[in-house]
Amino acid sequence: MIFYVVELLDDWNVDVPSWKYLRNLESSRLCQRFQDDDNKQTEHSIRPVSSATGTTVSRQTVYRRSGHIGLYARSPVRCVPLTATHCRLRLTWSREHALWTPEQWSCVMFSYESRFSLQSDSHRTLIWRAPDTRYHQENTIERHRYGGAGWLVWGGIILGSRTDLHVQSLTMTDHIYRDVILEQHVDITRMDWPAYSPDLNPIEHAWDMPGRRIAARQPPPTCLPELRRILLDDWCNIPQDQIDDLILSMPRRCKACIASSGRHNTTY
């Protein structure tokens, strides 16, 4: 059997789509106006509200009025910029593979590298705190600016199987990738993949599974050998049916990309 390998080299963070901050709104009518405009309004476009009405609008009023129509303050989505060429290539690729069968996807191995550090990125940690207690010790998480010590890992997923998890402290070079990782896979053809499209790769969600478990561990790992052992165990313990479900979501991913004309879309 010939396996097609999908590998990614782009820096990407797949996040949940969210609303931007809305400030200085006067009423729910204005909130609805911004909702109708796809919520792309900024502070510059609503600044004249107070001067036009002569009324100072508090931030709490903004939050309350916005909440009535389903708008909430969230962090913006972080993603790489897509040019018109990127969108066109993503759209073309999705159209070519939208009707692939499970049998065709079973010949594809999705691979990628990821990094896990001892210091949590804190993005998955939420707390409840009282006003004016933001910097109290119980409400803070100390972490290094760039994540601190950690491991670079590589893995691949296939329908019904997965590769071993390769854990190393070095950057994934071409030599390591070719001679160490792919050595066990003899018949491999690299699959054409549109640039800046890791959102189409189901292994991104596979990495999220051990990432969430590590972030939730109490106590968290305190040394690199412990983190390495946890990564290897968590990778082996991912249920295969969940991996298969991710791979079988490829038709939905392609259709979602087509529906968005090749732009960012994480609704799968």
Side-chain angles (χ1 to χ4, degrees):
M1 177 180 292
I2 299 179
F3 281 104
Y4 293 87
V5 177
V6 172
E7 54 176 327
L8 301 175
L9 300 176
D10 304 320
D11 185 13
W12 181 276
N13 289 293
V14 178
D15 244 324
V16 179
S18 52
W19 302 110
K20 295 182 178 180
Y21 283 96
L22 300 180
R23 298 175 182 154
N24 301 331
L25 298 181
E26 180 187 20
S27 64
S28 58
R29 179 181 61 81
L30 289 174
C31 291
Q32 187 63 52
R33 168 191 163 192
F34 289 103
Q35 185 183 39
D36 294 339
D37 289 341
D38 295 330
N39 304 286
K40 295 180 180 178
Q41 303 290 343
T42 64
E43 185 177 359
H44 297 289
S45 61
I46 60 177
R47 192 173 292 170
V49 172
S50 294
S51 59
T53 62
T55 303
T56 300
V57 182
S58 69
R59 177 172 294 186
Q60 188 59 40
T61 299
V62 174
Y63 291 159
R64 185 173 60 253
R65 293 284 190 173
S66 299
H68 288 166
I69 61 171
L71 301 182
Y72 301 94
R74 295 291 188 270
S75 299
V77 179
R78 295 176 298 169
C79 54
V80 296
L82 293 177
T83 66
T85 299
H86 292 146
C87 292
R88 177 176 54 81
L89 294 176
R90 283 164 53 90
L91 184 59
T92 299
W93 188 92
S94 296
R95 286 172 174 167
E96 292 174 351
H97 296 85
L99 298 181
W100 268 32
T101 65
E103 289 72 22
Q104 289 174 295
W105 289 117
S106 67
C107 296
V108 179
M109 180 175 69
F110 297 91
S111 67
Y112 192 30
E113 64 183 43
S114 187
R115 189 178 190 277
F116 295 87
S117 63
L118 288 173
Q119 297 286 341
S120 170
D121 61 8
S122 76
H123 292 311
R124 298 187 180 96
T125 303
L126 301 178
I127 63 171
W128 292 96
R129 59 177 174 83
D132 302 323
T133 63
R134 179 178 183 180
Y135 290 103
H136 287 196
Q137 183 175 358
E138 64 273 14
N139 295 333
T140 62
I141 297 178
E142 295 181 347
R143 64 181 298 269
H144 293 287
R145 180 178 179 86
Y146 298 106
W151 293 106
L152 187 68
V153 302
W154 181 94
I157 57 175
I158 316 166
L159 268 180
S161 184
R162 76 198 75 178
T163 68
D164 294 334
L165 186 69
H166 296 265
V167 184
Q168 59 183 54
S169 58
L170 303 175
T171 301
M172 189 71 65
T173 64
D174 293 340
H175 171 75
I176 296 175
Y177 185 73
R178 182 189 66 244
D179 298 338
V180 178
I181 293 177
L182 296 183
E183 181 180 9
Q184 56 183 310
H185 306 288
V186 290
D187 295 323
I188 288 181
T189 300
R190 180 172 176 175
M191 187 179 194
D192 289 334
W193 193 264
Y196 294 102
S197 300
D199 57 322
L200 294 175
N201 193 333
I203 200 173
E204 286 287 352
H205 291 88
W207 288 133
D208 194 54
M209 297 178 190
R212 287 182 180 276
R213 283 196 286 269
I214 292 174
R217 291 184 73 93
Q218 292 297 332
T222 57
C223 62
L224 287 177
E226 182 184 7
L227 178 61
R228 185 179 189 276
R229 176 183 58 79
I230 292 173
L231 285 169
L232 292 171
D233 290 343
D234 285 351
W235 176 254
C236 292
N237 291 330
I238 297 177
Q240 185 61 45
D241 60 340
Q242 294 186 18
I243 291 179
D244 292 347
D245 288 342
L246 289 176
I247 296 176
L248 293 176
S249 71
M250 284 306 299
R252 297 197 303 273
R253 294 170 187 265
C254 292
K255 291 177 183 177
C257 186
I258 294 172
S260 65
S261 299
R263 293 186 292 272
H264 297 297
N265 194 314
T266 57
T267 304
Y268 305 130

